[in-house]
Every structure is written in structure tokens, then in C-alpha cells.
Amino acid sequence: MSDGAVNVDETIKRLQAQKDVVGVLIMDSKGRVIRSTLDEAMTTQTATLMHQLCDKSMSVVKEMDPTNDLTFLRLRTKKHEIMVAPDRDFLMAVMTQLNPSK
Amino acid sequence: MSDGAVNVDETIKRLQAQKDVVGVLIMDSKGRVIRSTLDEAMTTQTATLMHQLCDKSMSVVKEMDPTNDLTFLRLRTKKHEIMVAPDRDFLMAVMTQLNPSK
């Protein structure tokens, strides 16, 4: 495995070990999954939806100011927080649980 | 002016007074502008785009878990941060500048 791939996996392991992290997902800019800690069904759904949402967010930012760029997206819901870091070639999404069962 | 309206305006004034806040926008759930501190063109564009993005975010959250709800959305761009607080009847968006001219 290349150094790059090792770094990615180490990063994912470190993220996954954080308290309340329920999933880590890495996609390419076309929404194809590269790594995921979620089960298959959740991976497919989350990848599709996060890719769509990121595309929409990026186009909103560009429409407001063509010289601007989306650098981070954070969705807070009643149960989770989903953080999405878009890059030119990749997109990483991390989902944390908000009220872990006490 | 009703108490409610007074409170809204006071809240907007307080927000607008915060360092780096460049705009505050309140819409109804249909995206109709109720209050805005932005100029007309920016108000129309921002309201339309934030309403679309919030709709998309809400549907993404619901598709992942019908019992869940979007409570907050934060877009970070190279130049701004846009925070959107959706409620059942209203939606508030606050835009802050990230690197105010020193």
C-alpha cells in the first residue's frame, strides 16, 4: 500500500477512535466511495446524499461570488452532526452522534 | 409594532453589531424575506439560495432518517461563514466575514 493510502487509513482510524464518531467516509470528486467505516447500505446512501449536498452548496457559493469557494460544511441535526470537508479531488464526511446513549 | 416584531428587530440589531457580521436575513418557511440588513439585490439572491440550500439539507436529513430534523447549517467559504438556523416557520441566516481587511 502506498504511503498516501497508509496515511488515509491512519487518519480514518484516528477519527473513528474519537468519542461519538459514528462514521467516516471519503469520496472522490465524483462521489465514488474510496473509504468508509459505515455499513454498505449507509455508505451508499450517505455518499450519494453528501455528494449532492456538497454540489449544491458549492454552486450556491459560486453563484453568490464566482471567486469564492466552499471550504467546509456542517449540518447539525437533532441526532447527529455531519461535517463535510470538500477538496478539489476528494471529499471527507465525518458523522458524530450528538446525544450518545448515556 | 407588536412585541414579537420589536424583539426580532432588537435581535437583528444585536447580531448586526457583532464584529464581522456582514448581514442578517430572516425569511418565512417559503423563503419570503421578512427582515434583511443586506441591500436589495443581495437580499433577493441570498434568500433564494439559502432557502434552496436549506430545503436540500432538510430533505437529505429526512432521507437518511425520517425521524430526524435539521437544526443548524454552517457553510464556511474562503471569504465568509454563513450560518442558517431553520425553524418550523422561519429561517434566519447570518453571514460573517472571515478575514476582515486588517
Side-chain angles (χ1 to χ4, degrees), chain A residues 3-13 26 34-35 92:
Chain A
D3 282 355
V6 170
N7 287 341
V8 167
D9 289 326
E10 272 166 24
T11 306
I12 290 175
K13 252 185 235 146
I26 297 181
I34 294 168
R35 293 280 196 290
M92 173 184 265

Side-chain angles (χ1 to χ4, degrees), chain A residues 42 45-46 49-50 52-53 56-57 59-61 63-65 67-80 82 95 98, chain B residues 42 45-46 49-50 52-53 56-57 59-61 63-65 67-80 82 95 98:
Chain A
M42 188 85 170
Q45 183 190 48
T46 308
L49 294 173
M50 286 306 118
Q52 287 173 6
L53 188 57
K56 178 62 184 171
S57 304
S59 73
V60 160
V61 169
E63 200 168 327
M64 292 177 77
D65 175 354
T67 69
N68 203 358
D69 272 313
L70 178 73
T71 54
F72 200 73
L73 181 63
R74 187 187 288 248
L75 256 84
R76 196 176 179 97
T77 72
K78 280 193 303 191
K79 301 180 184 179
H80 298 108
I82 303 173
M95 185 190 287
L98 280 187
Chain B
M42 188 86 170
Q45 184 189 48
T46 308
L49 294 173
M50 286 308 118
Q52 286 172 8
L53 188 58
K56 178 63 186 170
S57 306
S59 70
V60 161
V61 169
E63 200 167 326
M64 293 177 77
D65 174 356
T67 68
N68 202 0
D69 273 312
L70 178 73
T71 55
F72 200 73
L73 181 64
R74 187 186 288 248
L75 256 82
R76 194 175 181 99
T77 73
K78 279 194 304 193
K79 301 180 184 179
H80 299 108
I82 304 173
M95 189 189 287
L98 280 187

